[in-house]
Amino acid sequence: MKATSIANSNTAFIKYWGKYNEELIIPMNSNMSLTVDSQNTVTTVEFSGDYKEDEVILNSSRAEGKEKERVTRHLDLVRGLAKIRDRAKVVSKNNFPTAAGLASSASGFAALTVAACAAAGLNLDKKRLSIIARQGSGSSCRSIYGGYVQWLKGKTSDDSYAVQIADENYFDIRDIAVVVSTGERAISTREGMRLSIKTSPIYQARLGVVEGMLEKVKKAILARDFRTLGSTAEADAILMHSVMMTTEPHLFYWEPKTLELLKKIMKWRSEGLECYFTVDTGPNVHIFCLPDKEKEILGRLKEEGFRNFFASKPGGGAELLKKHLF
Ligand code: DP6
């Protein structure tokens, strides 16, 4: 009744921003990401009749309140499927500082899903695992797979899941996550999405074009066409942040340093150093480039005073490990 899993984080080229069904976490639009190899979560789950209640330890500290509730709710989903009632002990560790403000829910809920399902004795295929992970945190359904992954929006819980478009060895690119600021975000991703659908006058406009952009990205991945992939990802990041900024209250996740770096990236590109950016719910910037440009970009980042970054290659899907955390 004990199992351990490792899952990598992912960075979206075409973003998920808004839920069609909040309870089940079904997205308004299909979306696409790259699973990355430098940021991961390892999670051990043990179900036992000896535990009186669920105990959750995240990065060496005991989770309480909302954080713990989210994990317990996810364990309930797995318990329901496995028809067990045992409480669980969960120990989870990120290999990157949580305070850096880089995504942890994607790798976190993917690892929790794979470990909890195995610990509960469920033998599920990746599609089922993706459907379960999705209900913990949407983007985590993509981290079940390695490489280039599409989340098919679907309309019901059973047809909203991720599929692999190309594996991690198909097209070698780099994703450099630059930590610009480590402050807490004022409005959470969940609340931000809800507000954007209700109030942004351009929310529907993005929905009208985003599936077309996704098709373009998918073709670009399969053709290993980095220019189309990067420029379309960058365009969708700007579009999503335009939706955020036109939400009431305004969701300005960028800091002055964010814009400074985005302008640098555009300048480097105009000088012939090909790279593109994306930004999630926060001030940090991801830079996409081909492997032969990585060194030059890391050098320029240091020159410009950006010293906190994680360079990733395409990473593999979530898997079980033999060694447990407790
Ligand atoms: C901006 O998956 O963290 O990073 O489903 O509410 O847990 P919940 O949201 P989450 O949202 C990720 C939003 C994003 C875009 C993306 O990764 O596609």
Side-chain angles (χ1 to χ4, degrees):
M1 295 301 259
K2 191 186 213 181
T4 300
S5 166
I6 182 166
N8 284 318
S9 182
N10 69 71
T11 308
F13 300 117
I14 296 293
K15 306 294 189 185
Y16 146 52
W17 191 250
K19 295 173 178 70
Y20 163 77
N21 182 320
E22 286 199 3
E23 186 61 23
L24 295 167
I25 311 196
I26 297 175
M28 286 291 241
N29 63 279
S30 295
N31 46 82
M32 180 87 78
S33 62
L34 175 70
T35 300
V36 295
D37 76 344
S38 81
Q39 289 138 252
N40 63 51
T41 304
V42 176
T43 301
T44 299
V45 178
E46 180 179 46
F47 289 104
S48 162
D50 294 344
Y51 296 130
K52 294 273 169 298
E53 58 169 317
D54 291 333
E55 185 189 8
V56 181
I57 316 275
L58 302 178
N59 295 313
S60 309
S61 54
R62 195 173 301 270
E64 304 285 357
K66 273 196 175 159
E67 202 179 28
K68 184 181 167 193
E69 242 170 66
R70 234 175 126 181
V71 174
T72 296
R73 198 169 167 252
H74 205 61
L75 292 169
D76 284 342
L77 195 69
V78 175
R79 279 189 280 252
L81 289 168
K83 300 189 172 56
I84 59 168
R85 304 181 70 166
D86 290 351
R87 301 290 102 187
K89 178 171 176 177
V90 176
V91 176
S92 187
K93 278 197 160 69
N94 293 332
N95 75 336
F96 53 96
T98 322
L102 296 166
S104 65
S105 69
S107 54
F109 276 92
L112 178 66
T113 301
V114 172
C117 288
L122 292 167
N123 186 10
L124 304 174
D125 61 15
K126 285 191 177 250
K127 175 177 159 183
R128 280 320 311 167
L129 290 170
S130 173
I131 288 171
I132 297 168
R134 189 201 76 226
Q135 294 170 74
S137 179
S139 55
S140 76
C141 78
R142 300 184 306 229
S143 277
I144 296 295
Y145 291 95
Y148 296 82
V149 183
Q150 182 175 355
W151 175 6
L152 307 165
K153 66 176 176 181
K155 277 245 163 349
T156 66
S157 192
D158 284 348
D159 61 13
S160 184
Y161 53 87
V163 293
Q164 188 179 59
I165 299 303
D167 73 17
E168 57 274 30
N169 301 311
Y170 183 81
F171 184 23
D172 193 16
I173 69 166
R174 295 291 180 267
D175 168 7
I176 306 167
V178 187
V179 179
V180 166
S181 151
T182 57
E184 278 271 303
R185 36 174 110 90
I187 296 186
S188 71
T189 299
R190 284 222 170 153
E191 185 56 14
M193 287 184 188
R194 204 173 286 143
L195 292 167
S196 287
I197 295 178
K198 272 202 210 140
T199 65
S200 169
I202 61 169
Y203 188 86
Q204 291 300 328
R206 175 171 179 264
L207 278 191
V209 295
V210 73
E211 302 273 349
M213 291 167 87
L214 186 132
E215 280 313 307
K216 211 168 154 187
V217 159
K218 187 171 168 182
K219 275 198 194 125
I221 292 165
L222 292 173
R224 299 186 181 89
D225 170 0
F226 181 65
R227 176 166 302 186
T228 306
L229 171 60
S231 58
T232 313
E234 191 171 292
D236 186 49
I238 297 170
L239 198 47
M240 179 184 71
H241 280 272
S242 304
V243 167
M244 290 164 161
M245 289 172 190
T246 51
T247 293
E248 292 288 344
H250 309 318
L251 304 172
F252 268 80
Y253 289 114
W254 296 0
E255 295 291 334
K257 281 269 167 205
T258 311
L259 186 58
E260 184 189 316
L261 181 53
L262 301 189
K263 289 200 162 194
K264 289 268 182 304
I265 293 165
M266 290 187 268
K267 181 163 175 282
W268 297 342
R269 195 162 67 222
S270 72
E271 292 163 2
L273 179 61
E274 195 176 19
C275 55
Y276 302 90
F277 63 76
T278 193
V279 184
D280 289 324
T281 328
N284 300 327
V285 176
H286 288 260
I287 306 176
F288 296 120
C289 67
L290 288 169
D292 63 342
K293 299 289 189 294
E294 180 183 0
K295 216 172 144 210
E296 173 72 24
I297 291 169
L298 295 183
R300 291 199 190 193
L301 283 171
K302 281 186 205 147
E303 262 169 39
E304 300 291 346
F306 296 97
R307 289 174 195 284
N308 193 358
F309 45 72
F310 301 80
S312 294
K313 296 176 186 167
E319 54 186 68
L320 288 168
L321 298 178
K322 290 211 169 65
K323 204 166 166 265
H324 304 303
L325 291 178
F326 64 91

